[in-house]
Amino acid sequence: MNSWVLTCLWLIPAAPFAASLIILSLSKARRKSAVALAIIGEVLALALSILAFMPTLQATGFRAVQNFNWFTFGEHTLRLGFLLDPLAAAMLVMIALVGLCIFVFSVGYMADDKNFTRFFAYLSFFSGAMLGLVIANSLLLLFIFWELVGLASYLLIGFWIEKPSAAAAAKKAFITTRIGDMGFFLGMLWLYDCSGTLLFYDSGNGCLESAGLAMLGASATFIALLIFCGAVGKSGQFPLHVWLPDAMEGPTPVSALIHAATMVAAGVFLVARVYPLFSVDAINGVTPSLTVVVWIGVTTALMAALIAIAQEDIKRILAYSTVSQLGLMMVSLGVGGVAAGIMHLLAHGFFKALLFLGAGSVIHGCHGEQDIRKMGGLRRLMPVTFMTYAIGMLALSGVPFSFSGGWTKEEILHATAQWPKSQAPYYLLLAGVVLTALYMTRQMIYVFFGNGRSASERAHESPRVMTMPLIVLALCTIFFSVVLTSAWPWLHGYLTGEPVHIEITRLVQPMLFVSLALVSAGVVIGVWMYRKAGVQDRDRPAEIDPLEYAQPGVFEFLANKMWIDDLYDHTVIAFSWMAARLSDWMDRYFWDGLVRGFGGVGQLFGILTASVDERGINAGVDETTAGARGLGRLMSGAHSGQIQTYLGAVAIGMLALLLLYAWLA
Amino acid sequence: MTPTLQVFLIISATLFSIGLLAVLSRRHAIFILIGIEIMLAAANLNFIAFWRFGPQPQPPTGVMIALFSIAIAAAEAAVGLAMVIAVYRHYHTTNVDQLDQLRG
Amino acid sequence: MNSAAFIVTAIFTVAAALAAATLRNLMHAALSFAAAFVGIAALFFLLGAEFVGLALVFIYIGAVAVLVVFTILLTRRDVGKDRGFNWGGATVAVAVFACLTWSILKTQSLAIGAPHIATLTVKRIGAALMTTYVWPLQCVGILLTAALIGALILVMEERR
């Protein structure tokens, strides 16, 4: 019954793209039409996504492929295609739904911006590119949309282009992800070289199907790692995570979109999509490429969680939490828990969008202040924001039972614990859970509890158009857990194609208590450490962080993002500066000298000839110049400005050509 | 004697030369446009003649090209005449001899 | 193909075209121009391209000739001045004519009679326009629209 959607999958990204194009052609003053168009485009995309979601429910292991010829050169045909499977369908619905909430929120948040319509055009473009990425059935098509996502993020992070920091952040995001994309591109070329196709599924001939994978042989590991480079860049994994926190320079809804539904999800999605490449020749579920994924993920997760503890900017904390959560997802993919990773990605999409929009609401209420030390006591002033933010915080921390994040995180821990190679990632992730609870507690205490500080004096609750998306997302966060519980892991079965049945006794598992204990530990430590945050305590001034007071060295290390940015400044960037200087020096002295030397020789020769010239040739030259001048006069006479003369010349030319042709024939 | 392809081509060449004559020798801008139209019609006559005398059966390519060329000629005539009017407004002349702003 | 009809049409067409190119009075020239196109359309009919002939009549006599007449009327004050004739141009034109005729007569492969053909129905032309030539058709549509707008802008009175 829904079959027409399966053949018209391209309509899903086309709706926001079309909206974006139309909005761009509108004048700046047509704010209402721009909003209406953007929201209509997104609602259409959501409706189509749900329609496409329906048939995937009917059969396990559902997969609809629709390939087409892009162009033919000689005997080769480049084919692209669209693909719908449970992974794509679930992502589609999540992206469209979260995107819609963010669009609605932006109406309120960006109400005073002078480039309001442009913002919505970019937002639509962004969401369209991401929707297209999810349904691509060709690595090349995926790459095209991947780059479109990158472009959209560049445009949106640098949306307030008049702010130098925003322009720099946009550039940083673009260039950093480009480094990863370079690897992705090389991997793609290599893959094409080996398998001769970039289609994922092509009735047995695709590069992810057994015949295609068999052709790869030993190079599969390298191809997978090169493609993983792209994911590292896009999903902000160590060592290319540096752009993500800086991307906070964009408007908050953009941060929400980047961190929840689109940009960063793309990397995790990519790894999940080409997972067969990673697991070629797996022994007991372990391959070299997957091991790399695990360790990169663990490093990222732990490092970002540590840095988040010492940040002061409300959005930056959330940014590092995103980096950390993405690391978690990567670990999950690496240890073989693909479904768990994607489930966490979906759940994370909801609650991270909620947190970012909540942060946006806070910033809006505090008139643009982003420093958490200047807030406080917002609990009473912004009750709706507080409630929804608390739900998001609990989900992010991984509180089990009623919050979606808890179930998925628990499943990831479960998968990690069973990794045959090493137990270290599991324990490190447990530490990460404690840290997550700790920094989120710290943020809650600073922002919502205690006494009001400078920024919260004139704070107010945000308008309905901003709180409604918060409430919707909060409800999603809670009710999404229905399909995630261990008693009825419907989503798990849906993604993996395994049958599921309800078994209420599985609801309570040892892992549940472990994660509950860890989260409680984190919260308790947080409350104990920061109970006096923001107020004068003994000899500690109010604006100094308790951790900074107790351990200034550690705090400085973390607050400066472990000096990774500085490290890059002093190595990679310094190196390219040096190279530039060297080239400059070479140009100035070596090449220039060479040129000057040649010039000198020429000059010498000139002086020599000049004397000959003066005496012998000069007279002759005078004659020549006179001749040239006369010729010039003659030529300029031909430029009479008389159109008929010109046309006559054309006719004579034609005549001459004809005669020539007749003579030759 | 029934007309052969040659005869049609000679008619076409005659029309083309008459058009060229108008373009090259008349001073009035409208004459130039008329000449261009006659030259285009001569070209169309060629298309049709080659289609008619070509090996049969064949797709109506010649006819199609003639149709499109008529459409393009119509567009050209409209813009050309509009330019004549615009030039006349500006310089108060339609004599192409006097329009030599681009003289070198 | 009727040779008598052909000879009459050919002579009429060439005479009308010559008149259009050489008459001193602009208005007479414009009318001869229309007559010349009637002749060309008649040649198209003789060649079995009735549809193109009709299109030519509609477009040239119905539209272009009327446009020419309008333009003559709008630039009336200029009519009657300087009716010079450029003999150089005439020489080139005659040379082109001689050369073309010589080369056509020299090419023996062109001396062929008309084969018998099936009538080219309007239906076939329509089908071709909507299938093989659909993109050129769209492009021509855009071109005509652009020409329409361009012509309007060119002749619009400049606002002060």
Side-chain angles (χ1 to χ4, degrees), chain A residues 182-431:
Chain A
M182 186 68 205
F184 184 3
F185 192 68
L186 289 177
M188 190 166 75
L189 293 180
W190 196 340
L191 179 65
Y192 188 73
D193 188 44
C194 287
S195 67
T197 179
L198 287 175
L199 287 176
F200 294 143
Y201 299 102
D202 183 21
S203 52
N205 301 319
C207 62
L208 293 189
E209 287 164 307
S210 49
L213 290 176
M215 274 190 273
L216 298 182
S219 50
T221 305
F222 299 103
I223 294 174
L225 283 178
L226 281 171
I227 293 178
F228 183 60
C229 286
V232 165
K234 212 65 149 187
S235 281
Q237 299 295 295
F238 177 82
L240 295 181
H241 65 281
V242 287
W243 68 271
L244 240 181
D246 285 27
M248 295 299 107
E249 290 295 339
T252 306
V254 174
S255 313
L257 203 54
I258 289 180
H259 284 249
T262 56
M263 186 89 170
V264 297
V268 178
F269 173 81
L270 174 68
V271 176
R273 174 56 88 208
V274 299
Y275 196 73
L277 275 181
F278 283 88
S279 57
V280 173
D281 297 332
I283 305 154
N284 211 356
V286 177
T287 61
S289 47
L290 285 178
T291 311
V292 172
V293 174
V294 169
W295 285 110
I296 295 261
V298 169
T299 315
T300 312
L302 211 60
M303 182 196 70
L306 279 170
I307 295 178
I309 290 178
Q311 298 298 314
E312 264 94 39
D313 185 321
I314 182 168
K315 281 167 74 181
R316 229 166 237 276
I317 298 172
L318 291 178
Y320 277 107
S321 90
T322 306
V323 175
S324 161
Q325 298 298 310
L326 288 167
L328 201 63
M329 293 172 212
M330 287 294 183
V331 174
S332 174
L333 293 173
V335 298
V338 182
I342 293 300
M343 280 155 67
H344 194 57
L345 180 62
L346 296 170
H348 178 260
F350 288 120
F351 66 69
K352 190 45 70 67
L354 169 63
L355 283 171
F356 264 111
L357 295 187
S361 177
V362 167
I363 294 167
H364 193 73
C366 293
H367 305 280
E369 184 55 58
Q370 302 195 0
D371 193 334
I372 55 169
R373 290 170 304 181
K374 296 185 182 156
M375 299 170 184
L378 293 176
R379 181 174 83 252
R380 289 178 300 277
L381 296 166
M382 307 178 79
V384 180
T385 306
F386 167 66
M387 281 309 294
T388 52
Y389 204 88
I391 291 170
M393 173 261 175
L394 291 175
L396 173 62
S397 311
V399 175
F401 292 119
S402 57
F403 300 103
S404 54
W407 294 109
T408 53
K409 200 174 268 192
E410 185 202 318
E411 187 145 351
I412 291 178
L413 292 175
H414 200 74
T416 315
Q418 289 169 343
W419 198 41
K421 197 145 182 185
S422 161
Q423 285 287 309
Y426 172 61
Y427 293 113
L428 289 172
L429 284 194
L430 291 183

